[in-house]
Amino acid sequence: MLRVLRDLLRYDGRFRFAFILLAAVVVMFLLSFVSPDDPNKTFVVAMDAPPSLDHLFGTNSRGQDIFWWLTFAVRNSLIMGVITAVISRVIAIIVGLTAGYQGGWLDRVLMSVNDSFVIMPLLPILILLGFLLRDMMNLFLLGVILGFFGWPYDARLIRSQVLSLKERSFTRTAVYSGTNGFWITINEHLPFVLPVVFATTINNLLWSIGTEVTLSVLGLSDLTTPSLGTALFWANQHGALVAGVWWWIAAPALVAIILFLGLYLFFASINEYIDPRTRLRLIGA
Amino acid sequence: MRRFLLRYLIPRFLQFLTIIFVGITVTFIIPRLAPTNPVEAQISMMMARGESLDPQSIASMRAALTDMYGLSGSPLQQYFAFWGRLFRGDVGPSLANFPTPVSEMIGQAMPYTLSLLVTAVIISWIFGNLFGALSSYYPKNKALSLIEVLGQAVRPIPYYIVAIVLLVVFAYFIPIFPFSGAYPVGTHPSWSLAFIWIYIKHSVLPAATLVLVGFGGWFIGMKSLTSNIISEDYVVYAETAGLKKSRILNYYIMRNALLPQLTGLAMSLGTVFSGALIMEVVFGFPGLGMLTMAAVLRNDYSMIMGIAIYSIVGVAVTVFLMDLIYPLFDPRVRYQ
C-alpha cells in the first residue's frame, strides 16, 4: 500500500496535485474537531466581515466564522458520501456478480432495470423523495437514499469484468471440482473486481456529495446540519450576493472545487494505475 | 430487414418500455412508502395558513384530495388508475395554482429548458469530440493539452457550483452578462429580432455551464477511442499510402470513434437534464428547473410529481429516437 503511494507520488504529477488538494480537505476535516465555534450557534462573531487573518474566509450575516463552519460542512458531506458509497457498493457488487455469473434471463432482467436507472433523470425522482421526507430528512437518511440510487453504473462495470473472468480456466476448474456458484463469485471473482470497485467508489463519492449540494440548495435536506449544500443554501437565503457578502458564496464554492477536483484526479490516477498497460507507460517502460 | 428488426429494433423498443415502466413504477411507489400522507399534509397546511374550515368541508376536501392523488382503492387498483390517467396525459391540477393543469404549466416551461439543453448538449458534444480527436492525433500540441487540462478540471465539479462561479465572475464582478432570468422584467416573449438578441444574451451563461461541464467527458472519451484507432492497420496503411492528414482524421479515425460517442450521448442525457434543472435555479431561467424550485417552495406536490413523470418519459423518448436514427450513422447495423 505504501509502495503504491510512493510510486504514484513519484511518477504521476496528477496524483501529486490530487494529494495536495485532498490533504487540504483532510486537514479541514480534522480541524472540525478542534473548532472554537459551535456551528449551531449564531452571532458568535462580528457579522459580514470580509476575509482577514482573524477570519480566514470572513464571517457571514448570521455571525458565524465561515472557515470553522465549513470544517463541519466538509466533515458531514464526506461522512454522508461514505455512507452512500458503502451502500451502493454492496448493491453494485451483488447485482454485478450475480448478473455476470448467472447470465441468462436473470442477467437480462437485472441489466435492463440497471440501464433504466442509468438513463433515467434521477434528480426529479430524488426531489420527489426529498420533498416527501422533508420533515424527517437528515444527512444519514440522505446518504442511505442516495446509496439506493447510486449503484447501476458500477454494477454494469462489475458485470462486464465477471463476464470475462467466467471464461478463464480457473473458473472452469472450480466448477468441475464441485464448488458452488456462490463461492466461486465470492472467493474467485470478487478479489478481481475489487480494484474497479475501489476506483468507482471515489466517483460515487463525487456523485453523492454533488447531489447533496443540489438537493440542499433546493431546501430538501436537513438545513440545520452544516454541509457543503446547506452552506450555499443559507448564503442564498440571506441574499449574500445582493448584500455584497460574496465570500459567503465563494468560500463553500472554493472548498467544493478543491474537494471535487482532488477526488476526481485521485480517481483518474488510480484508475490508470489499476490498468497494467497504462501503469507501465506511466513509469516510462 | 427481419434480422434488423429482431436484433436491433425490438430489443431497443423493449428497453424503452422498461425505462418507462421502471421510472413510472418508482414514482408511483415512492409517495406510498413515505411516512407522510400527502392528503393530511395538504389539509394541515391549509389549516396552519389560518383558513377556517368546518368539519364537513374538511371531509369533502379530504375525499376530493384522496381522489386527486389517486389514493382510493387497493394499491393494485391505484396502480392501474395511475397508468390510466398517464395514458390520457393527465397528471392532475397544480395545487399552488389551482386549477391550472400541471401539464399546461410544464408545457409553458418546457421550450426554455429544451432550447437551452439541446443547444448546449450539441455544442459540447461536437467540440469535445473534435478537440479530443485532434489532441490524440497531435499529442505534442501545447494549446490542445491546455484545453484538455482545463476541460478535465471543470468536469468533476457539480453543475450548481460551476453555475454559481460563472454567475459571480461574469455577472457580479465583471457584469457583462445579465444577472438572472431569460429576459428582463417588463419585456414580453415574441419572435422579434430584439427579443431574440436579449434572449441569447441571457442564455450565454446558462448554456456555458452545461457546455463546460459536458466538454471534458466527450474530450477524454474521444481521445481514448481515437488513440486505439490510430494504431489500427488500416490507419497505418492510409498513412503510408500518403493520404492527406485531414482525410485520414475525418474519414478513417473520427467516423469510427463517433459511433460509441453517439451511444454515450444517449446514456448521458438523464444526467445532463438533471444538471440543467439545477443550473436554471442559479440563473433564474424560467424553465422546468425554476418550476421545480417554485413547486418545492410552495409545497406543490402534484407539480413535482408531474415534472418527475414528464422528465422520465421525455428522456426515454429522446433516447429511443436516438436509437432509431443510429442506423443512419452505422452501416453495420443497417445491413445486418
Side-chain angles (χ1 to χ4, degrees):
Chain A
M1 193 66 197
L2 274 178
R3 231 183 64 216
V4 174
L5 192 69
R6 197 198 61 200
D7 278 0
L8 279 170
L9 279 173
R10 189 178 296 167
Y11 297 114
D12 195 350
R14 211 172 25 182
F15 187 83
R16 277 196 293 274
F17 189 50
F19 193 78
I20 295 167
L21 294 179
L22 288 181
V25 172
V26 170
V27 167
M28 276 196 88
F29 182 98
L30 293 176
L31 278 179
S32 70
F33 292 101
V34 293
S35 164
D37 301 340
D38 178 351
N40 298 316
K41 286 210 180 92
T42 47
F43 305 108
V44 284
V45 289
M47 281 156 58
D48 296 340
S52 64
L53 280 179
D54 282 344
H55 305 290
L56 206 53
F57 289 163
T59 64
N60 62 25
S61 307
R62 307 171 81 209
Q64 294 162 319
D65 183 292
I66 295 176
F67 176 80
W68 289 112
W69 199 86
L70 281 177
T71 58
F72 289 97
V74 167
R75 183 169 92 193
N76 290 333
S77 281
L78 277 175
I79 291 174
M80 190 217 66
V82 170
I83 294 171
T84 301
V86 169
I87 292 176
S88 64
R89 243 49 358 219
V90 172
I91 303 178
I93 289 176
I94 294 174
V95 172
L97 288 180
T98 324
Y101 186 77
Q102 299 292 333
W105 65 269
L106 187 65
D107 178 33
R108 249 171 289 161
V109 169
L110 282 176
M111 280 306 113
S112 64
V113 171
N114 189 82
D115 288 354
S116 302
F117 274 98
V118 171
I119 292 171
M120 260 194 289
L122 288 181
L123 188 62
I125 296 177
L126 291 171
I127 289 175
L128 180 67
L129 247 176
F131 179 76
L132 288 162
L133 299 174
R134 183 144 61 167
D135 297 329
M136 53 179 295
M137 188 58 89
N138 56 42
L139 272 183
F140 177 78
L141 182 63
L142 186 62
V144 173
I145 290 174
L146 292 181
F148 281 105
F149 282 92
W151 54 270
Y153 193 79
D154 303 335
R156 190 166 251 297
L157 206 63
I158 293 170
R159 170 186 169 269
S160 67
Q161 292 250 313
V162 173
L163 281 184
S164 78
L165 289 173
K166 211 165 75 170
E167 300 305 319
R168 302 262 285 273
S169 55
F170 68 84
T171 306
R172 224 162 303 144
T173 316
V175 172
Y176 290 154
S177 39
T179 320
N180 73 27
F182 178 75
W183 282 114
I184 294 179
T185 44
I186 298 293
N187 284 335
E188 312 288 338
H189 292 165
L190 188 58
F192 280 96
V193 298
L194 276 182
V196 181
V197 171
F198 178 68
T200 57
T201 303
I202 305 166
N203 228 356
N204 194 247
L205 215 59
L206 285 173
W207 173 78
S208 145
I209 298 174
T211 310
E212 187 273 327
V213 170
T214 306
L215 289 175
S216 295
V217 166
L218 292 170
L220 293 176
S221 72
D222 177 14
L223 299 167
T224 53
T225 316
S227 74
L228 288 174
T230 51
L232 291 161
F233 175 82
W234 287 115
N236 285 336
Q237 278 291 302
H238 288 256
L241 277 185
V242 181
V245 196
W246 55 266
W247 52 90
W248 197 358
I249 296 249
L254 177 75
V255 172
I257 290 172
I258 290 176
L259 174 68
F260 279 93
L261 202 54
L263 280 176
Y264 173 71
L265 292 175
F266 186 64
F267 160 74
S269 172
I270 294 280
N271 217 9
E272 259 184 21
Y273 185 84
I274 288 171
D275 187 347
R277 283 165 303 176
T278 47
R279 191 193 318 171
L280 285 177
R281 203 181 63 212
L282 218 62
I283 57 174
Chain B
M1 196 60 202
R2 225 181 102 85
R3 276 186 59 152
F4 171 72
L5 267 178
L6 282 178
R7 286 274 187 81
Y8 184 80
L9 217 53
I10 291 177
R12 296 303 188 287
F13 187 66
L14 287 179
Q15 180 64 48
F16 165 70
L17 293 182
T18 315
I19 299 170
I20 304 257
F21 172 75
V22 172
I24 300 294
T25 306
V26 167
T27 41
F28 172 83
I29 292 175
I30 285 173
R32 281 155 186 85
L33 287 184
T36 45
N37 182 338
V39 175
E40 297 305 321
Q42 199 70 36
I43 288 173
S44 66
M45 212 174 59
M46 285 176 175
M47 310 260 271
R49 238 187 263 148
E51 288 168 35
S52 56
L53 300 163
D54 56 279
Q56 204 190 342
S57 62
I58 290 183
S60 69
M61 182 176 279
R62 184 171 288 143
L65 282 172
T66 308
D67 191 46
M68 202 190 78
Y69 281 118
L71 288 172
S72 44
S74 72
L76 206 65
Q77 281 172 336
Q78 288 179 25
Y79 187 60
F80 287 119
F82 190 70
W83 274 106
R85 274 184 297 148
L86 290 188
F87 274 122
R88 276 176 271 130
D90 169 25
V91 280
S94 155
L95 294 176
N97 297 302
F98 200 82
T100 322
V102 163
S103 44
E104 190 184 314
M105 295 179 70
I106 292 179
Q108 280 164 10
M110 193 79 98
Y112 289 100
T113 306
L114 272 189
S115 60
L116 197 66
L117 192 64
V118 170
T119 322
V121 164
I122 291 178
I123 291 177
S124 76
W125 191 79
I126 289 180
F127 280 93
N129 282 319
L130 188 64
F131 284 111
L134 284 173
S135 110
S136 79
Y137 203 55
Y138 302 104
K140 292 209 170 70
N141 190 305
K142 289 264 165 51
L144 287 170
S145 314
L146 184 69
I147 292 175
E148 179 175 359
V149 169
L150 292 178
Q152 295 314 303
V154 185
R155 189 183 168 201
I157 318 286
Y159 286 96
Y160 184 83
I161 307 275
V162 174
I164 206 121
V165 169
L166 287 180
L167 184 78
V168 169
V169 174
F170 292 108
Y172 186 74
F173 282 121
I174 317 167
I176 43 177
F177 289 109
F179 201 70
S180 135
Y183 44 85
V185 184
T187 44
H188 287 284
S190 64
W191 284 107
S192 67
L193 267 177
F195 180 78
I196 291 173
W197 173 240
I198 291 177
Y199 181 72
I200 290 177
K201 244 171 89 174
H202 279 78
S203 313
V204 170
L205 288 184
T209 310
L210 299 180
V211 171
L212 285 176
V213 176
F215 177 82
W218 301 125
F219 186 104
I220 205 79
M222 190 65 175
K223 193 178 173 180
S224 72
L225 282 168
T226 39
S227 68
N228 284 333
I229 295 175
I230 279 174
S231 52
E232 291 275 349
D233 289 343
Y234 63 85
V235 176
V236 179
Y237 181 72
E239 268 170 357
T240 39
L243 261 65
K244 265 194 277 178
K245 278 203 155 193
S246 60
R247 193 181 164 80
I248 299 177
L249 192 63
N250 286 333
Y251 290 88
Y252 289 71
I253 298 174
M254 292 239 299
R255 185 92 203 266
N256 281 302
L258 277 179
L259 293 170
Q261 291 289 81
L262 212 56
T263 318
L265 185 63
M267 297 293 265
S268 75
L269 278 181
T271 319
V272 189
F273 180 81
S274 298
L277 288 189
I278 195 64
M279 171 281 296
E280 282 179 8
V281 171
V282 178
F283 293 107
F285 203 77
L288 285 179
M290 279 308 277
L291 206 59
T292 313
M293 180 78 179
V296 169
L297 288 177
R298 300 172 68 182
N299 277 310
D300 194 341
Y301 167 84
S302 60
M303 177 64 83
I304 295 178
M305 190 81 173
I307 291 172
I309 291 169
Y310 269 87
S311 355
I312 292 167
V313 174
V315 170
V317 169
T318 319
V319 170
F320 183 59
L321 288 179
M322 287 181 69
D323 278 336
L324 283 188
I325 59 166
Y326 184 81
L328 294 180
F329 300 95
D330 192 346
R332 283 168 302 185
V333 179
R334 209 159 51 218
Y335 295 122
Q336 222 173 34

